[in-house]
């Protein structure tokens, strides 16, 4: 190969290498440009800077200052000498532990509340000597908190094993009559000008000798203007069956458990006029059967209250049952009732268990926006507070959330009442407590036969707990004194506008407690006459309209346990010194409105 050729080949090689390097450089530059472009299209993640957390705004509940609301025990000074006889003689028969009904009633029509104490008696087989057979006691109110025993003059010096009482003018003659339940036959006494006549047989309301009836009440369930009668029956009881059960405590015989006794059903007596009644519990749908054993009746009823729960103009019925589900009888407006307690949330506790329910009451609370039904239960079981929004009749047990549950768990609660003790426009809760077993403390250190009553002050729904227990320094030592409490009732016995209390007891004296609060709150009491000229206004709805809301009440003496409270409805107004209007709606449909009535007085209204 010639020299020129070699040189040419070298030049070609150099050019080739240069070209390849140039191409590589171009490619690298292109890659670099591409990477730069790609990176330029990617937005860097935002820089997160930690800021101070925003603290939630805490709602500070209002500070609670419980007012001074003292009660004074005036039982002795008022002349109340009654002592309940339960017949206990060592056999520990279940009825001995359950009696003690009481009532406030105006039997003589003079405008102030008199007192009736229901009595039981010795058993027929009891051979112990007795100077005088025990009877119920009727005390006439003579004013100035003084009462006179008029039992014999009124024709009520009769003896039977009594339990509860209902008060109502069933014959629309202008005075109130009495119905008394018993172990055995019940009794209806017609008031003939202040003297009572037994008309049980002619009225057909005695029941049967093998039945044990407890709480009872008059109501107009069919809206015909006269009073019908609802009667709770407890358990099927006989002495022989009771004694055959192995009930013991500390090695000795004890009072029996209701679980061991068969259930039964309530009575519903329809008023047919002319002093006659028909027992319609079966056709009215009140004979509820055990859901598992259809041949067995389910009721073991101790307490009853009535009211228009859904505001449809018809009276419904709530029943407290012992160790079985409670009942909620919804009026179907055709003479029948539908039992709705399970589906409406009032049958059981929050775990779906039945409790030992005793006393019961109902009221509109929280500015009348909610219907509340309170039920007192057995020892170590919280009291219930079933609350429904508006007229829904869909209840939720709010006992824990409102503060009642934990504070009521220890005591065995019977008579339970909504009472506006301090007249501030909010309903407080009062209850009578006491155990069944005199020797219970020997086996349960936390339990006592005599127990203090409950007083839960309503401090409003905006508070941490809606109800708070009132200590002795605020309500007085007389109120919290221990007793074997059973029945409970309220009335204004001294005409000062606030409500006084009467607690019944089993085998002991009752307790009359005068309300001595001096808070200066305003009030209005409404006394409603019946549509047929008598005192048959039971069930009438009262709406008191104020500048900032309404208070709703109802004429309904049947409340508590075995007991009756006064007829007039009391409305606490607090610091409000004016009422815009008062509207009354009778069960028969009549209504009346009174504009701007004067306050701090009794307003008497006729249709």
């Amino acid at each position: 190969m010639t020299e020129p050729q070699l040189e040419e080949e070298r030049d070609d090689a150099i050019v080739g290498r240069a070209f390849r390097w140039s191409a590589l450089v171009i490619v690298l530059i292109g890659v670099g440009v591409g990477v730069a472009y790609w990176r330029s299209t990617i937005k860097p993640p935002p820089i997160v800077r930690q800021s101070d957390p925003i603290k939630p705004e805490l709602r500070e509940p209002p500070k609670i200052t419980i007012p001074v609301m003292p009660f004074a025990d005036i039982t002795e000074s008022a002349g109340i000498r009654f002592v309940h006889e339960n017949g206990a003689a060592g056999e520990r028969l279940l009825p001995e532990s359950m009696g003690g009904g009481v009532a406030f009633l105006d039997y003589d029509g003079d405008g102030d509340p008199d007192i009736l104490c229901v009595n039981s008696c010795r058993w027929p087989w009891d051979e112990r000597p007795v100077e005088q057979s025990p009877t119920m006691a009727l005390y006439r109110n003579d004013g100035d908190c003084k009462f006179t025993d008029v039992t014999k003059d009124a024709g009520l010096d009769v003896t039977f094993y009594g339990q509860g009482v209902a008060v109502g003018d069933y014959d629309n003659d202008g005075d109130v009559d009495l119905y008394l339940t018993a172990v055995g036959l019940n009794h209806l006494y017609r008031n003939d000008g202040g003297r009572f006549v037994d008309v049980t047989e002619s009225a057909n309301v005695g029941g049967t000798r093998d039945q044990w009836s407890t709480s009872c009440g008059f109501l107009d369930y069919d809206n015909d203007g006269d009073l019908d009668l609802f009667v709770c029956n407890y358990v099927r009881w006989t002495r022989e069956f009771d004694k055959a059960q192995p009930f013991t405590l500390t090695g000795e015989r004890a009072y029996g458990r209701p679980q061991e006794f068969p259930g039964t059903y309530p009575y519903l007596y329809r008023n047919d006029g002319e002093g006659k009644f028909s027992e319609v519990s079966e056709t009215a749908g009140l004979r509820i059967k055990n859901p598992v054993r259809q041949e067995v009746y389910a009721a073991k009823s101790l307490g009853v209250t009535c009211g228009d729960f859904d505001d449809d103009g018809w009276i419904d019925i709530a029943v407290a049952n012992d160790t079985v589900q409670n009942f909620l009888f919804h009026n179907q407006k055709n003479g029948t009732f539908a039992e709705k307690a399970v589906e409406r949330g009032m049958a059981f506790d929050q775990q779906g268990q039945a409790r030992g329910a005793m006393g019961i009451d109902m009221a509109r609370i929280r500015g009348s926006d909610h219907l509340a039904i309170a039920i007192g239960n057995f020892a170590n079981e919280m009291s219930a507070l079933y609350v429904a929004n508006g007229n829904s009749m869909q209840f939720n047990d709010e006992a824990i959330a409102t503060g009642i549950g934990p504070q009521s768990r220890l005591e065995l609660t019977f008579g339970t009442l909504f009472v506006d003790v301090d007249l501030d426009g909010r309903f407080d809760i009062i209850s009578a407590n006491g155990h069944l077993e005199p020797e219970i403390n020997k086996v349960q250190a936390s339990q006592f036969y005599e127990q203090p009553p409950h007083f839960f002050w309503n401090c409003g729904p905006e508070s941490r707990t809606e109800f708070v227990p009132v200590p002795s320094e605020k309500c007085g030592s007389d109120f919290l004194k221990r007793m074997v409490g059973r029945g409970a009732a309220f009335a204004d016995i001294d005409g000062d506008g606030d409500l006084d209390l009467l607690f019944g007891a089993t085998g002991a004296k009752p307790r009359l407690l005068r309300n001595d609060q001096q808070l200066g709150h305003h009030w209005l009491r409404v006394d409603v006459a019946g549509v047929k000229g008598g005192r048959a206004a039971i069930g009438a709805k009262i709406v008191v309209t104020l500048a900032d809301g309404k208070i709703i009440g109802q004429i309904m003496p049947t409340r508590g346990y075995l007991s009756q409270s006064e007829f007039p409805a009391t409305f606490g107004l607090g610091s409000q010194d004016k009422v815009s209007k008062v509207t009354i709606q009778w069960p028969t449909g009549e209504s009346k409105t009174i504009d701007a009535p004067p306050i701090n007085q009794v307003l008497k209204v006729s249709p």
Side-chain angles (χ1 to χ4, degrees), residues 81 144 164 196 209 271 605:
R81 305 286 185 259
D144 296 325
F196 291 89
R209 294 186 181 277
N271 191 332
V605 184

Side-chain angles (χ1 to χ4, degrees), residues 425-464:
R426 299 189 296 259
F427 287 103
D428 313 302
I429 295 178
I430 300 288
S431 65
N433 305 320
H435 211 280
L436 307 184
E437 290 289 348
E439 306 297 323
I440 189 63
N441 184 248
K442 292 182 178 180
V443 295
Q444 295 185 39
S446 63
Q447 290 296 321
F448 296 88
Y449 187 46
E450 295 182 331
Q451 298 179 348
H454 285 149
F455 181 1
F456 292 105
W457 179 62
N458 187 336
C459 52
E462 68 278 1
S463 303
R464 192 183 303 275

Side-chain angles (χ1 to χ4, degrees), residues 55 68 145 150 262 290 321 369 441 474 568 587:
K55 297 180 180 180
V68 177
C145 294
V150 294
N290 185 300
N321 282 316
D369 292 332
N441 184 248
K474 298 292 186 178

Side-chain angles (χ1 to χ4, degrees), residues 325-504:
Q325 71 152 86
N326 300 315
F327 292 153
L328 180 62
F329 291 116
H330 185 216
N331 196 322
Q332 301 298 288
K333 310 177 187 179
N334 59 3
T336 69
F337 293 83
E339 204 290 295
K340 299 284 187 179
V342 173
E343 65 181 82
R344 297 303 177 94
M346 207 203 83
F348 304 108
D349 67 9
Q350 293 177 334
Q351 288 72 45
Q353 301 296 315
R355 290 180 281 202
M358 310 291 180
I360 186 171
D361 197 8
M362 61 82 65
R364 293 278 176 178
I365 64 173
R366 300 171 190 165
S368 299
D369 292 332
H370 294 76
L371 173 68
I373 296 177
I375 297 180
N377 294 310
F378 201 78
N380 298 315
E381 295 178 341
M382 294 182 292
S383 291
L385 185 66
Y386 298 106
V387 180
N389 191 0
N391 300 316
S392 66
M393 282 182 62
Q394 192 62 53
F395 293 92
N396 182 51
D397 189 350
E398 298 185 7
I400 294 177
T402 57
I404 294 173
Q407 298 290 342
S408 65
R409 187 183 188 96
L410 190 62
E411 284 78 21
L412 199 167
T413 297
F414 280 87
T416 301
L417 298 171
F418 283 105
V419 186
D420 185 359
V421 173
D422 56 342
L423 300 175
D424 65 352
R426 299 189 296 259
F427 287 103
D428 313 302
I429 295 178
I430 300 288
S431 65
N433 305 320
H435 211 280
L436 307 184
E437 290 289 348
E439 306 297 323
I440 189 63
N441 184 248
K442 292 182 178 180
V443 295
Q444 295 185 39
S446 63
Q447 290 296 321
F448 296 88
Y449 187 46
E450 295 182 331
Q451 298 179 348
H454 285 149
F455 181 1
F456 292 105
W457 179 62
N458 187 336
C459 52
E462 68 278 1
S463 303
R464 192 183 303 275
T465 58
E466 197 165 348
F467 293 88
V468 294
V470 180
S472 177
E473 61 268 22
K474 298 292 186 178
C475 66
S477 59
D478 282 355
F479 182 90
L480 294 177
K481 193 184 303 179
R482 293 175 178 270
M483 66 183 299
V484 190
R486 293 296 185 261
F490 60 76
D492 180 10
I493 65 172
D494 50 4
D496 62 355
D498 56 29
L499 294 171
D500 312 293
L501 300 173
L502 178 63
F503 291 145

